[in-house]
Structures are given as C-alpha cells and as structure tokens.
Amino acid sequence: MSLDWIYWAISWILLRWHSLWEMIGISDGTVLGTNWAWILSIIFLVVTVRVILFPVFVKQIKSQRAMQALQPQVKALQEKHKGDRETLQKEMMELYRKEKANPLMGCLPMFLQIPVFLGLFHVLRRLDPVQTLNTTIYGWTQAQWDSAVHAKLFTAPIAAQFGSSTAELEGMGANGTTVKVIAGVLVLIMMATTYLTSRQMILKTGWAEDPQQRMIQRLMLYGIPASLLVSGAIFPIGVIIYWVTNNLFTLGQQQWVLRKYPPPVINTKDGKAVPGPGARKAAAPQQQEKPSRFGRSKANGAVQDTKPAVDGRALAPKPGAKPVNPKKRKPAKRQG
C-alpha cells in the first residue's frame, strides 16, 4: 500500500504553516543559529494534528472512565476464576463487549499519530542537499526545498541525526559534535517527556486490574522510553522536535482533563482500589445553607422546618379562667 497520501498531507500542512510565518514576518534568517520559521512549522504541525484528533481523545477519556467503573466487576471475576486464566479472559472480554468498553482505546490516539510521525520522518530524511529535486514531489517547490535543507536548530540541521555519517554532515555543512550534542539532548528530553506522559496518567488513575491492561501500562511507562534511547539515534532532529512538542501538548491536555474530571477510583500497585479525587469530592459534606426568610431551608436535599418549637403548656388556659369556645359565633345584628 502506497503511503504517498500521508507524505502529501504532512507536506501540505508543513508548507502552509511555513508560508504563514513568512507572511507575518518570520523569515528563514537565523536567530541564535535557528531558522524559526521551520521550527514553528513543525511545532504547529503538532497543534494541527492534535486539534484534528481531539474527538478521539474525548472518546479515549470516556473509555477510560468506563473501564474504571467496571473495576469492581473485573475484581470479582478475578476472584471467581482464580487459576483459570482462559476462562477469566473470556469472561472479561464478554464483560467489555456487554458494557461497550474497549481496553485498547487508551492507545488509539498514539496509534493514529504513527502515520504522521512516519510521514514527517520520510519527508525530512529526503532533505538531501546534493540530490536533484523534482519540484512536483509532495507539493514542494525548489525554493522551499532548499530553504528546508539549510534550516537549523542552534546550528544543527533539522534533517541531521545523531547517527549521521561524516559525509552526510559535510553535505549539510554541519559540525558533527554540535549535531551530536543537540540531537543527544533532544533524545533525552524525548525519553523523559514520554515517560512523564504515561506516569501522569497512571498516578491519577492507578494501575489497571486487568493483566492485559497492566502489561500495556508497563510497556508505555518503561518500554517505549527505553526503546527511544536506541531508535532516537536515527531520528532527524526535526522529528524529535515534533515528538517532544507532542509530549508537552499531551501533558497539558491530560492535566486539564484530570482536573476537570477526576477519576472516581484509583487502583494501587498491590491491586487495592481506593477512592479517587472524584469520589472524595462527591462525598465531601455540603455546606449548610442559611435559613430562608420563610423559615425553611434545604439540607442534603431534604426540606427542614427552622421555626422554633412551641411549648404546649404555655398555651394551656390558666386556672379559673373562663373557657373559650372557638366554635361559638356572635349573634347576627337585626336589620331595622
């Protein structure tokens, strides 16, 4: 299957943002050894993709809340089928199907961004200063191609990699030590922010009861950041900028969602379920309202009478007093 449509889409977004920055006065001139028009284009490529994928992110949060609501039932199934892993998996899949919960939904936004990452990786890998460019490729013009080839971040070309050969660096007019320092620092930042995005969610929602989900959580928390230490050596600097920006965007987005919709249940590492911030907030006692002007107030949803109690003995007739018959009426006056 051809992936040209991905390369065309990524190039189109990248070039539109680059044209916008040029239009508002950010040219391809270097400031601090950086071509900010291209750096900002990559950063806002992230913003564009995240805005497009925001509905998917909302579905991800809803799925995570549904999975949390099912934790007591999952725990009960684990106790019921203890030692029978096959039956447990069947029962849990049936529970997920019945309740329309998808344990893999949490990874969907990341999977949908893989084509974007591959597209940008492919485009930046083709920024070769010595190749003859067909100006119709992915919608680039020769001027845009030449500009991107010489785009730099602190004098390190965005198309360069930590593992670039001496010949490749010479062709880009780059210093090998500078490229390795810039790329190395960015790879470490990429690993740290990737770890923090997973850790942030696990600390707020807790470890999953489902063994399959827990395995995915461990993979996201430890496996992916560790793999970046090796794979990051072949990533162009521009791709690492994209990844770091995406992680920072994710951290901010997750923080906003977790504050607005705190999880009702948190699972500790030893499998104990404890009330989350959402549950504690709902269980907090409501402030007592002041009595209304009509002598009645509402407390915990019930209407209570706030009038003072009346002592019945104070209303009793005194000894020797003439009894009063409230039913007796005065005689009507005669008409003349």
Side-chain angles (χ1 to χ4, degrees), residues 258-322:
L258 291 170
R259 281 189 177 181
K260 191 171 181 64
Y261 306 104
V265 177
I266 294 178
N267 296 314
T268 59
K269 239 180 178 181
D270 56 1
K272 294 181 180 179
V274 297
R280 292 195 292 267
K281 185 177 180 180
Q286 299 180 1
Q287 293 183 352
Q288 186 176 3
E289 296 182 6
K290 294 181 180 180
S292 66
R293 59 182 296 183
F294 299 104
R296 299 172 71 83
S297 65
K298 294 182 180 180
N300 297 327
V303 179
Q304 298 179 350
D305 195 345
T306 59
K307 293 181 179 180
V310 179
D311 188 358
R313 290 178 298 179
L315 300 178
K318 297 180 179 180
K322 186 177 180 180

Side-chain angles (χ1 to χ4, degrees), residues 11-48:
S11 295
W12 187 87
I13 297 173
L14 201 61
L15 294 175
R16 297 291 78 75
W17 279 113
H18 183 261
S19 298
L20 176 63
W21 299 126
E22 284 190 324
M23 187 186 307
I24 64 178
I26 301 178
S27 65
D28 287 330
T30 59
V31 178
L32 298 177
T34 302
N35 300 87
W36 292 106
W38 284 108
I39 302 301
L40 289 173
S41 298
I42 294 173
I43 291 173
F44 277 82
L45 170 63
V46 176
V47 176
T48 304

Side-chain angles (χ1 to χ4, degrees), residues 89-162:
Q89 291 295 330
K90 288 181 179 179
E91 291 287 340
M92 290 179 64
M93 293 306 296
E94 177 63 23
L95 175 65
Y96 295 152
R97 185 195 62 80
K98 182 180 177 181
E99 300 295 335
K100 297 181 180 180
N102 187 353
L104 299 178
M105 188 66 189
C107 301
L108 184 59
M110 184 190 71
F111 290 147
L112 291 179
Q113 291 184 72
I114 290 177
V116 181
F117 171 81
L118 293 177
L120 183 62
F121 179 85
H122 173 83
V123 171
L124 293 182
R125 283 292 298 269
R126 297 195 60 141
L127 293 179
D128 185 353
V130 298
Q131 80 171 33
T132 302
L133 170 70
N134 177 0
T135 56
T136 62
I137 189 171
Y138 310 145
W140 291 68
T141 65
Q142 187 68 55
Q144 290 170 332
W145 191 268
D146 293 339
S147 173
V149 164
H150 296 96
K152 294 177 174 61
L153 174 66
F154 304 124
T155 72
I158 63 173
Q161 312 159 20
F162 184 88

Side-chain angles (χ1 to χ4, degrees), residues 67 71 75 78 85 89 92 96 103-104 202 205-222 266-273:
M67 293 296 297
Q71 291 304 306
K75 188 72 174 178
Q78 289 174 337
R85 189 176 184 84
Q89 291 295 330
M92 290 179 64
Y96 295 152
L104 299 178
I202 292 174
T205 61
W207 290 89
E209 292 281 351
D210 181 8
Q212 182 182 7
Q213 272 196 295
R214 182 169 289 205
M215 181 181 66
I216 294 174
Q217 285 180 322
R218 286 189 178 131
L219 175 64
M220 298 286 291
L221 186 61
Y222 303 114
I266 294 178
N267 296 314
T268 59
K269 239 180 178 181
D270 56 1
K272 294 181 180 179

